[in-house]
Amino acid sequence: MNIQNQEQSAVSALPANPSVAIVGATGAVGAVLVECLENRNFPLSQLKLLASERSAGRKVAFRGGDLEIQKLDVHAFEDVDIAIFSAGAELSRAYAPIAKAAGCIVVDNSSAFRMKDDVPLVVPEVNASALSLHSGVIANPNCVAAISSVALASIAAHRKIRRIQMSTYQSASGAGQAAMDELNDATAAALAGEAFEHSVLPHPYAFNFFSHNADIEGDGYNGEESKVIAELRRLFDLPNLPVGVTCIRVPVPRAHGMAISVELDAPLAPELARELLQNAPGVRVVDDRKANHFPMPVEASGEEEVLVGRIRTDLGDPSGHSLSLFVVGDQLLKGAALNAVQIAEALLATNS
């Protein structure tokens, strides 16, 4: 069967307790998707876990029982209402049309559809209204774009954003389970004084950091940086927004950090910014200057909220229109799995 030539069908209304499938259930994000559905008590009638043939038959714990991994094929979506994809852009391009043709709503965590005009790119705390524009496929943003946009959303609602400049400190989890394993193994070897040959990432990882391993493009930016720039523009509906970003891979297992400077159309006092952030959904302010306690990966890992601190006027902007922030969020949660589940929750809420 030629999966590229499947006819697309209209998306039907969701039942109150939909059948859900996870594509890529054995990956790092897939495992966290299962945890999110359970921890948030998502109202589903069935959970189908899909992966490659080599993973078929494995068991995954869910709600007091075990679910068996099933092989992904063209018939896998016939009894599914919502399909959450986390298996890479190539598989998403191949199988998302199949799922849509079967009547599913697809929430895709890859880069396959993020820049498609007819596919909304959604972070519910930022632009939930865009969900009404979907025609069967909804894109989940890049992890940096998702986390940083949550931190900036309440400020953007109060002042117009004119420019964003950021540097990121990205954890192993962003490169998948194999990179997380390599960091653990390389660190153990370094502490034992043993040689270690890295194979997942292009440079030694333990006690080191380096430019993000995405390919460098013609303009000198790497693919990760280009994604962040394009996706922040879409999320804030500012197609010409100047965005500069430098992405760095750091030896942290989980949770990305971001030093952000945001220029606004008028000055915003740090005290007011802190108040806005304290009342913002999905945000927890960690900004204790006396104790020098600000967002850290060890405190963000495993947490649904995005941590925001170091809230101050950016003295590098003589106009006084810019704020500086430091943001940390769990890449596997708000940067991936949690945002996808929140999209599914929002779909149910608008459907009721």
Side-chain angles (χ1 to χ4, degrees):
M1 181 180 293
N2 185 346
I3 61 177
Q4 298 297 335
N5 293 328
Q6 295 288 310
E7 291 295 325
Q8 295 184 346
S9 66
V11 178
S12 57
L14 288 170
N17 295 278
S19 170
V20 176
I22 296 174
V23 179
T26 56
V29 174
V32 179
L33 278 165
V34 175
E35 293 174 5
C36 282
L37 291 169
E38 179 160 7
N39 293 341
R40 295 175 70 85
N41 197 28
F42 187 88
L44 52 80
S45 60
Q46 173 190 228
L47 179 59
K48 180 182 284 191
L49 304 182
L50 302 170
S52 64
E53 186 173 9
R54 68 177 179 273
S55 297
R58 285 175 48 184
K59 298 291 181 67
V60 174
F62 183 71
R63 293 183 178 174
D66 288 324
L67 297 178
E68 185 172 302
I69 302 286
Q70 300 178 44
K71 178 187 173 183
L72 174 64
D73 61 30
V74 296
H75 304 292
F77 305 100
E78 292 172 357
D79 57 349
V80 174
D81 300 304
I82 300 174
I84 304 177
F85 279 64
S86 190
E90 184 177 350
L91 272 173
S92 291
R93 292 189 189 102
Y95 282 94
I98 303 287
K100 181 178 174 181
C104 289
I105 297 177
V106 172
V107 180
D108 183 57
N109 196 51
S110 79
S111 61
F113 306 106
R114 290 174 184 162
M115 300 311 297
K116 299 286 188 182
D117 289 340
D118 59 344
V119 176
L121 182 72
V122 176
V123 174
E125 296 93 337
V126 180
N127 64 335
S129 61
L131 285 171
S132 64
L133 304 175
H134 87 83
S135 59
V137 180
I138 300 158
N140 214 28
N142 169 276
C143 47
V144 172
I147 292 167
S148 61
S149 66
V150 170
L152 293 172
S154 62
I155 293 171
H158 200 77
R159 295 279 194 275
K160 184 177 180 180
I161 294 178
R162 283 187 170 170
R163 182 173 182 265
I164 296 171
Q165 184 71 38
M166 75 168 80
S167 294
T168 73
Y169 311 89
Q170 295 181 226
S171 62
S173 61
Q177 188 62 51
M180 297 172 75
D181 293 341
E182 180 161 288
L183 175 59
N184 290 336
D185 294 343
T187 303
L191 291 173
E194 299 171 353
F196 182 84
E197 192 68 31
H198 58 87
S199 60
V200 178
L201 291 169
H203 305 290
Y205 204 2
F207 305 104
N208 189 32
F209 59 86
F210 45 86
S211 182
H212 191 284
N213 46 292
D215 291 340
I216 300 293
E217 300 168 345
D219 59 2
Y221 282 75
N222 65 44
E224 181 81 354
E225 293 159 351
S226 296
K227 288 177 189 176
V228 173
I229 292 167
E231 293 174 29
L232 283 174
R233 289 170 174 167
R234 283 204 77 191
L235 288 167
F236 287 115
D237 195 21
L238 296 169
N240 298 312
L241 178 68
V243 180
V245 58
T246 299
C247 293
I248 303 296
R249 184 76 72 190
V250 297
V252 171
R254 183 168 168 171
H256 291 353
M258 299 154 210
I260 302 174
S261 175
V262 56
E263 181 184 345
L264 308 169
D265 64 347
L268 181 66
E271 295 75 18
L272 178 54
R274 187 176 293 105
E275 182 181 340
L276 293 171
L277 288 161
Q278 285 171 335
N279 293 308
V283 169
R284 175 156 55 95
V285 173
V286 180
D287 196 51
D288 188 342
R289 296 180 180 180
K290 288 184 178 179
N292 202 9
H293 184 180
F294 302 105
M296 296 181 286
V298 293
E299 294 183 349
S301 295
E303 298 296 319
E304 294 189 351
E305 295 167 310
V306 170
L307 310 187
V308 183
R310 296 301 314 276
I311 304 162
R312 64 204 190 278
T313 299
D314 182 354
L315 299 180
D317 177 3
S319 75
H321 287 203
S322 297
L323 286 173
S324 291
L325 312 167
F326 191 67
V327 176
V328 180
D330 189 313
Q331 181 274 331
L332 294 175
L333 282 169
K334 190 56 192 173
L338 173 63
N339 197 71
V341 172
Q342 288 176 311
I343 288 172
E345 290 171 342
L347 288 169
L348 290 182
T350 58
N351 196 63
S352 60

